[in-house]
C-alpha cells in the first residue's frame, strides 16, 4: 500500500512538473518553433474588408493584413503555400487564438490592455484612429458629437462600438447602435439609409469608401488611437519576439510602404512612417 501511494505521488509530481513547464512556455509550443518545424501556419484574417483582408471571387486573398501575414510567415520559415487563411470575425479573434484554431490573427486587430489579459500581441505594425463613414450627400455629421442623435452601425466584438456606447450611455446603445458580424454587413444598411453612419478605424472605412467612389465619404475626424498588432497565444514570448523582428524588417526593407500604397491607393499617403514595435 505504501509503495502504491509512493508511486502515485511520483506520478502526481511528474504531472505537476509538466503543467508548470507548459505554463512557463519552454518554447516547445511556440509559434516560432511550429513555423520552423512544420513549415505551416493557420492565420486568422478578415475576409470582407477591402484593402485589408478580402476573399476575392477566385478564392484567393488580398489586402494589407494579408501582405503582413505572408511576410511574417516567410520570415518565420513558412512559404506562402504553407499558409492556411481562416476567417476571423471581430468577436471570435481571442477564442480562435486561445482554442488553437489559428496560430496568429492579423485582422485590423487593435492592441488593448483588456485583450492582452487573454492573448499576446506583436507589433504594432500600423497606427490609425476611429472615424466615421457617412453617405456622400450627408452634411449633418461632422464629428463624433454628431452621432448622439444618429443611428450607427458597428461590428460585434470590435472595440469601436463599445467606445461609442461608453461615450453616449446605455440608452443610446439600445436605441441607436446596430451591430453586425462584420463591417461589410454595415455597408448596405448605410447605403439604404437604415443607419446614418458606420464608425470604426479610419483605415477600414477608407478601404470601403475606395471601393464605391462617390457613394460614401470619410469624415476625417479621428477620435481615438488604434494600434494594429498580430495576436498570438498568451505567454509565447519567443514567438512574439520572432514576429516583432519580422515586423521591423518589414518596415526597414521598404515592404511596409509598398504594401500600403498597393492596397490603399490614395489613402496610403495618410500613413507616412511606420510605428515603433513595442516589445514586452
Amino acid at each position: 500500500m505504501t509503495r502504491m501511494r509512493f508511486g502515485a505521488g511520483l506520478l502526481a509530481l511528474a504531472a505537476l512538473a509538466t503543467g508548470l513547464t507548459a505554463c512557463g512556455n519552454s518554447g516547445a509550443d511556440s509559434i516560432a518553433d511550429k513555423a520552423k518545424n512544420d513549415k505551416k501556419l493557420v492565420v486568422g484574417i478578415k475576409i470582407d474588408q477591402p484593402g485589408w483582408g478580402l476573399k476575392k471571387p477566385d478564392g484567393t486573398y488580398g489586402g494589407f493584413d494579408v501582405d503582413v501575414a505572408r511576410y511574417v510567415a516567410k520570415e518565420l520559415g513558412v512559404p506562402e503555400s504553407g499558409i492556411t487563411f481562416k476567417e476571423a470575425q471581430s468577436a471570435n479573434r481571442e477564442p480562435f487564438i486561445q482554442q488553437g484554431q489559428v496560430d496568429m490573427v492579423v485582422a485590423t486587430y487593435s492592441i488593448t490592455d483588456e485583450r492582452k489579459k487573454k492573448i499576446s500581441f506583436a507589433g504594432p505594425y500600423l497606427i490609425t484612429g476611429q472615424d466615421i463613414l457617412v453617405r456622400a450627400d450627408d452634411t449633418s455629421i461632422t464629428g463624433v458629437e454628431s452621432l448622439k442623435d444618429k443611428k450607427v452601425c458597428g461590428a460585434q466584438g470590435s472595440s469601436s462600438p463599445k467606445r461609442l456606447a461608453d461615450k453616449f450611455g446605455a440608452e443610446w446603445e439600445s436605441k441607436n447602435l446596430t451591430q453586425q458580424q462584420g463591417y461589410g454587413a454595415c455597408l448596405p444598411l448605410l447605403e439604404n439609409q437604415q443607419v446614418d453612419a458606420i464608425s470604426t478605424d479610419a483605415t477600414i472605412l477608407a478601404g470601403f469608401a475606395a471601393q464605391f467612389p462617390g457613394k460614401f465619404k470619410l469624415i476625417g475626424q479621428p477620435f481615438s488611437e488604434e494600434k494594429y498588432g498580430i495576436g498570438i497565444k498568451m505567454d509565447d514570448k519567443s514567438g512574439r519576439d520572432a514576429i516583432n523582428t519580422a515586423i521591423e524588417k518589414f518596415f526597414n526593407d521598404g515592404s511596409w510602404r509598398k504594401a500600403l500604397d498597393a492596397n490603399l491607393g490614395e489613402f496610403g499617403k495618410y500613413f507616412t512612417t511606420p510605428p515603433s514595435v513595442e516589445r514586452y
Side-chain angles (χ1 to χ4, degrees), residues 255-278:
S255 297
W256 183 83
R257 178 79 268 152
K258 183 179 178 181
L260 273 175
D261 292 339
N263 290 294
L264 293 188
E266 64 174 299
F267 291 101
K269 66 185 178 184
Y270 292 105
F271 305 96
T272 56
T273 55
S276 296
V277 166
E278 299 172 357

Side-chain angles (χ1 to χ4, degrees), residues 135-142 217:
R135 290 180 292 277
D137 60 354
D138 189 339
T139 58
S140 66
I141 299 175
T142 56
K217 66 180 179 182

Side-chain angles (χ1 to χ4, degrees), residues 176-197:
N176 296 69
L177 183 62
T178 297
Q179 297 195 58
Q180 301 293 317
Q181 284 193 335
Y183 286 103
C186 287
L187 215 60
L189 300 184
L190 178 60
E191 183 177 8
N192 298 327
Q193 301 186 21
Q194 293 172 266
V195 298
D196 303 303

